[in-house]
């Protein structure tokens, strides 16, 4: 198991996680930039599924899961769809972080963009 995913031994990452991984996890919906982490290490962490890069922001994979759950809760409350502002209010993050998050949710099929709203996608957590 590597980065929360099961892989055959031949594909397991050989990268030792830098302290930034825990910093990103603790940062949640507003992680700090990966200062002091070289690009090759970041690429390996993204490739291994530990981090997710979207629009220059590096989120911990747990944060993406939490964002999916937040979107599901919002859609229970607003079945017609939710706005970026409503998602921002629920996560407590600024627009700088929320836009990449909803973009990642859209890319993963958890949500779909319909005009100014995000609606449920086929992979929305139940």
């Amino acid at each position: 198991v590597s980065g929360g995913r099961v892989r055959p031994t031949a594909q397991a990452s050989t990268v030792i996680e830098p302290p930034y991984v825990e910093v990103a996890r603790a940062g949640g919906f507003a992680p700090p930039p990966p200062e002091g982490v070289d690009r090759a290490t970041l690429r390996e962490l993204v490739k291994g599924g530990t981090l997710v890069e979207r629009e220059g922001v590096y989120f911990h994979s747990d944060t993406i899961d939490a964002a999916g759950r937040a979107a599901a809760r919002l859609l229970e409350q607003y079945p017609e769809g939710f706005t970026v502002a409503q998602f921002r209010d629920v996560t407590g993050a600024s627009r700088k972080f929320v836009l990449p998050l909803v973009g990642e949710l859209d890319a993963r099929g958890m949500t779909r963009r319909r005009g100014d709203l995000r609606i449920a996608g086929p992979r929305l957590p139940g």
Side-chain angles (χ1 to χ4, degrees):
V1 178
S2 174
R5 298 178 190 234
V6 176
R7 296 179 190 5
T9 305
Q11 292 183 3
S13 176
T14 58
V15 173
I16 296 173
E17 291 185 351
Y20 177 72
V21 171
E22 284 306 313
V23 171
R25 181 180 306 192
F29 297 118
E35 295 174 359
V37 183
D38 64 83
R39 290 176 157 237
T41 301
L42 284 172
R43 273 192 306 272
E44 280 296 314
L45 291 167
V46 169
K47 184 179 175 184
T50 302
L51 296 180
V52 175
E53 187 274 331
R54 189 78 181 187
E55 298 178 30
V57 180
Y58 289 87
F59 296 100
H60 194 278
S61 60
D62 292 350
T63 301
I64 302 301
D65 295 339
R69 291 188 301 272
R73 286 191 305 273
L74 271 171
L75 286 166
E76 286 175 3
Q77 189 175 3
Y78 304 102
E80 70 285 353
F82 62 87
T83 65
V84 170
Q86 290 168 321
F87 190 75
R88 182 196 64 217
D89 293 344
V90 165
T91 61
S94 71
R95 194 168 176 86
K96 170 186 174 181
F97 298 106
V98 169
L99 289 176
L101 278 171
V102 294
E104 184 65 24
L105 295 180
D106 292 346
R108 291 178 179 227
M110 292 183 194
T111 58
R112 290 189 177 163
R113 185 175 178 183
R114 295 286 185 256
D116 289 338
L117 298 177
R118 292 306 197 286
I119 62 171
R123 295 189 175 139
L124 185 70

